[in-house]
Amino acid sequence: MTEYYIEHQKILVSVDCIIFGFEHNKLKVLIGHRAMNPGKGEWSLYGGFVRNEESVDEAADRTLFELTGLRNVYMRQVGAFGNVDRDPGARVVSIAYYALINVKDYDEKLMKEHGVEWVNIEELPQMFSDHQRMIVRARRLMQEKIRTEPISFQLLPSLFTLTQLQRLYEAVNGEEVDKRNFRKRIKDMDFIEKTDLIDKTGSKRGAYLYRFNKNAYNEASNFKL
């Protein structure tokens, strides 16, 4: 087989997955201690190298599945990180992706197996290489998306209260929202349906549970929150 580009330096390509979850009214990120050198023992995102037979998207899908055991997860590319000195082990360019999952869908056995845990995004420890910068950029992209697409429902259970939804938006954006204005906007959205079910875990009176209607959303012409 003819070899091309042999005069050029070979550079490794990896993927890193920034997995967001929502728990106890906090936006969280799944991180663990790095299992290899360089940086063994440092806090790190979960990732891996792109294989010869894979596209970068396929590598990200595989990496996410290896970590969570979940399929059909909402995932989007964050961008490329390629500073010359970002990895002291070799010249590595990493393509970062962020994914949104419901914390309760993630098997705790897999968490223990991979040595990862959910950490509040506001309390992140010092992390390996540029992983903290990846998380910051991913959150910024999510903040933009959450205003125009219903991605928030990826982080919530199928049935949720309006308070849960409001707390999620506050956690993602890092600031409080006005309760009255928020609920007024929700009422204008036909794809957020009120059910007859009541959640009484927060108080004796309880709160009505809502759900996201995907079909109604697809028929809606505009979405903005």
Side-chain angles (χ1 to χ4, degrees):
M1 184 178 69
T2 303
E3 289 190 30
Y4 299 98
Y5 314 125
I6 58 175
E7 71 276 19
H8 295 288
Q9 175 188 350
K10 301 301 186 290
I11 295 176
L12 296 171
V13 179
S14 67
V15 294
D16 282 294
C17 292
I18 304 142
I19 303 172
F20 290 113
F22 180 67
E23 187 179 38
H24 305 312
N25 296 331
K26 303 293 183 182
L27 181 66
K28 298 190 174 183
V29 185
L30 198 63
I31 62 175
H33 292 287
R34 189 170 166 86
M36 66 176 74
N37 280 315
K40 186 175 182 179
E42 294 183 34
W43 286 101
S44 169
L45 294 169
Y46 190 85
F49 290 103
V50 179
R51 297 172 180 171
N52 286 338
E53 71 277 8
E54 293 178 319
S55 69
V56 290
D57 287 349
E58 289 168 343
D61 285 336
R62 171 180 55 80
T63 301
L64 182 66
F65 179 72
E66 288 174 355
L67 177 61
T68 67
L70 301 174
R71 297 284 191 188
N72 302 316
V73 173
Y74 179 93
M75 184 165 61
R76 294 293 184 273
Q77 191 177 116
V78 175
F81 293 76
N83 284 354
V84 174
D85 58 351
R86 65 171 301 276
D87 191 321
R91 183 76 170 94
V92 182
V93 173
S94 181
I95 313 300
Y97 290 77
Y98 79 89
L100 310 179
I101 68 173
N102 186 331
V103 170
K104 292 183 179 179
D105 290 339
Y106 189 25
D107 192 335
E108 289 189 8
K109 291 182 180 179
L110 278 176
M111 285 183 65
K112 292 180 181 179
E113 179 182 328
H114 292 289
V116 294
E117 59 186 86
W118 292 107
V119 176
N120 183 352
I121 196 170
E122 307 295 350
E123 300 172 354
L124 287 175
Q126 186 66 37
M127 300 186 68
F128 174 75
S129 185
D130 48 10
H131 288 192
Q132 208 147 3
R133 193 158 64 89
M134 290 180 180
I135 295 171
V136 170
R137 187 185 297 182
R139 185 184 191 183
R140 191 180 306 125
L141 291 175
M142 185 166 55
Q143 288 170 343
E144 295 171 0
K145 281 282 187 184
I146 205 170
R147 291 179 173 88
T148 58
E149 295 181 20
I151 65 171
S152 57
F153 305 108
Q154 307 287 338
L155 296 166
L156 291 170
S158 57
L159 294 173
F160 52 87
T161 66
L162 292 185
T163 297
Q164 284 178 304
L165 184 59
Q166 179 181 334
R167 295 290 180 259
L168 171 57
Y169 275 84
E170 291 174 335
V172 170
N173 291 299
E175 59 185 17
E176 293 184 6
V177 299
D178 182 79
K179 179 179 178 180
R180 182 177 298 179
N181 290 336
F182 183 84
R183 298 201 173 197
K184 183 178 179 181
R185 293 198 296 272
I186 293 296
K187 289 181 179 179
D188 293 334
M189 299 175 185
D190 296 334
F191 51 86
I192 299 180
E193 295 180 339
K194 184 179 181 181
T195 72
D196 294 327
L197 302 173
I198 296 178
D199 174 26
K200 292 189 176 182
T201 57
S203 65
K204 291 182 179 180
R205 182 181 178 184
Y208 279 103
L209 290 166
Y210 290 72
R211 63 184 166 212
F212 171 60
N213 186 323
K214 187 175 181 180
N215 291 331
Y217 168 75
N218 290 336
E219 294 174 1
S221 58
N222 294 303
F223 170 82
K224 189 172 183 180
L225 187 58

